[in-house]
Amino acid sequence: MNTKLRLIASLINFFVIAVADTLSPDLQMYWENNMVHPYFDNTTKRDVTAIAGQTCQLHCRVKSLGDRAVSWIRKRDLHILTVGILTYTNDQRFQSLHTEGSDEWTLRITSPQARDSGVYECQVSTEPKISQAFRLNVVVSKAKILGNAELFVKSGSDINLTCVALQSPQPPSFIYWYKGGRVINYSQRGGISVLTEQQTRTSRLVIARASPSDSGNYTCSPSNSDSASVVVHVIKGEHPAAMQHGVNHAERVHKSDQIIAVLVISLFCIQLLGNGFPNR
């Protein structure tokens, strides 16, 4: 509905309210049902991103509803989810919320999953029906610890881990670090610092002067994301496979190939020297 029609509807509403006491009940009902047409409040957010497993809501506001009913429809299969405040689906995760006297009709989805992503329509039982579309995108937010899944650190060096909450539509309210099943944010060990930046969705764990007892499974767990883990080995002296921040498998294979190539060339040269160069 354009601005001019909304203005006309508002003026009609004002007229009905102003003269309500002078109209008979039948005439009041006639005005509400035939002269005042429902319309949507277009200021509501209609593109919603939600995190899988966390309750989300779609807010539809209908002005001048009168005695019409508001329904929520799932667009992909035209399945009626709710009518008024009644749920019309066997999936009880869907529920309509409405406060008496309010113009807001809310579709609440408990524990949304990625498969719930799509378009939902807020529909009013006018003739013809009017509807407003809402797009829901349910994402699976996952944490990631930068670097390799296994880390070797020399005893006496610092353990430095950085965690990022990926695909999180909102900054996490907290990011906890665990060693095994124990929270280490507030550990009494000493030499441990945690710096969390909510806006960038990152958290940095630093353990100074690591010792072998600091070896273990470290987990980063944001409030609104799946957790991520890394295995840390604190060793004395050099380790032939990998050290601080690791040497990945591809690098080791590449270096091994280089060594083999050098050995093959060396053996070939020795064979030439032993047999003598061919005469020209």
Side-chain angles (χ1 to χ4, degrees), residues 36 76 174 203 246 257:
V36 182
R76 73 167 183 262
F174 59 82
S203 182
D257 289 344

Side-chain angles (χ1 to χ4, degrees), residues 119-137:
V119 176
Y120 294 80
E121 283 191 352
C122 175
Q123 190 178 94
V124 180
S125 62
T126 53
E127 188 57 47
K129 291 182 175 61
I130 60 173
S131 62
Q132 188 175 61
F134 293 76
R135 180 171 294 279
L136 175 65
N137 182 32

Side-chain angles (χ1 to χ4, degrees), residues 43-169:
T43 62
T44 54
K45 185 178 180 181
R46 295 167 59 190
D47 196 341
V48 178
T49 299
I51 299 174
Q54 296 191 9
T55 298
C56 65
Q57 296 181 343
L58 304 178
H59 301 281
C60 177
R61 294 193 182 99
V62 185
K63 303 291 186 181
S64 304
L65 180 63
D67 63 350
R68 285 84 167 184
V70 175
S71 304
W72 280 99
I73 314 293
R74 186 167 55 207
K75 185 68 173 176
R76 73 167 183 262
D77 55 6
L78 300 180
H79 189 71
I80 299 174
L81 301 174
T82 65
V83 177
I85 59 173
L86 300 178
T87 300
Y88 269 67
T89 176
N90 292 329
D91 191 341
Q92 296 301 308
R93 297 179 304 127
F94 294 93
Q95 182 182 6
S96 176
L97 305 178
H98 175 69
T99 301
E100 187 69 27
S102 168
D103 58 11
E104 184 168 297
W105 297 81
T106 300
L107 178 66
R108 181 169 71 180
I109 307 174
T110 304
S111 188
Q113 306 300 316
R115 59 184 170 85
D116 295 317
S117 297
V119 176
Y120 294 80
E121 283 191 352
C122 175
Q123 190 178 94
V124 180
S125 62
T126 53
E127 188 57 47
K129 291 182 175 61
I130 60 173
S131 62
Q132 188 175 61
F134 293 76
R135 180 171 294 279
L136 175 65
N137 182 32
V138 181
V139 299
V140 179
S141 179
K142 297 181 179 180
K144 178 179 177 60
I145 297 177
L146 303 183
N148 299 321
E150 194 169 14
L151 181 66
F152 293 88
V153 180
K154 186 177 180 179
S155 181
S157 300
D158 294 347
I159 297 174
N160 195 328
L161 303 176
T162 300
C163 175
V164 181
L166 303 175
Q167 292 187 317
S168 175

Side-chain angles (χ1 to χ4, degrees), residues 155-157 159 189 208-215 234:
S155 181
S157 300
I159 297 174
R189 170 195 180 278
R209 299 178 301 280
S211 65
S213 62
D214 293 315
S215 298
V234 181

